[in-house]
Amino acid sequence: LGIILMGPPGAGKGTQAPQIKAKYGLCHLATGDMLRAAIAAGTPLGKKVKSVISAGELVSDDLIVGLIQERLGSDPECEHGFIFDGFPRTIPQAVMLDELLAKEEKSLDHVISFEIDDGILLDRITGRLIHRASGRSYHVVHRPPKVPGKDDVTGEPLYKRPDDNEEACKNRLKVYHSQTAPLKEFYSKKGLLRLINAYQEADSVFADVQAVLNAQH
Ligand code: AP5
Ligand code: ZN
């Protein structure tokens, strides 16, 4: 099973992915999480991308596809399929992904687009808290951790992303509409696009995702 989760910043991709992963036994490859891990570890890659991410701009296509290629080929969890979260984000990335999947003889089955208007996203993003090691996300109001400021599973401290401020967020939305939203037409033409109402509470969104994955297309 091969799935792409797409949608604007704050739409709920990172919230849904761990549940999908657990239920369907797939690997979860989130390019944003990989880049943030590189920044946290202070690697050359991290140093290179830090300011780009903080500004809400996109990292280069070649660099991103390289990261995906490396993980897809080496992560044993990817054996039964994958969830891409936040990738591809441009048409060139999608074209390179097609080539990569053909080479690896892997199939792409569903491109799930989380549909939601920009207005609500600023609230979701500015209230978000993240557990760095796992990528688990919380919201101070909509999805509070059991103990304030602590991860439910490990009890480790939660942090706020440097690009989760109003200015960077507005730029991320602009970049999404200009560079990423055109992928909907790209995948619609291939018969792979599935639209989900991302306004709903997280459990209802997950129910709709399962309906898509369980249906015959
Ligand atoms: P990335 O990490 O992918 O960020 P993003 O796309 O901006 O998406 P978010 O992580 O902000 O949103 P999400 O949909 O995961 O929301 P979440 O579930 O956490 O990318 C970051 C940066 O890395 C990019 O800007 C770029 O610089 C670079 N990058 C990454 N991939 C790249 C690529 N392919 N090419 C080039 N550059 C790349 O939810 C948000 C909040 O809402 C949380 O607090 C959550 O608890 C809450 N919430 C979730 N669902 C609900 C719900 N149903 N109801 C109420 N609240 C909810
Ligand atoms: Zn995310």
Side-chain angles (χ1 to χ4, degrees), residues 4-53:
I4 290 172
L5 301 182
M6 67 175 285
K13 305 178 294 293
T15 299
Q16 296 297 325
Q19 287 175 269
I20 303 170
K21 168 184 166 136
K23 171 139 194 196
Y24 295 89
L26 312 170
C27 62
H28 172 206
L29 303 190
T31 40
D33 290 351
M34 293 178 199
L35 296 168
R36 281 185 289 279
I39 293 172
T43 65
L45 168 68
K47 292 197 173 93
K48 190 169 161 186
V49 300
K50 189 173 179 185
S51 63
V52 179
I53 292 192

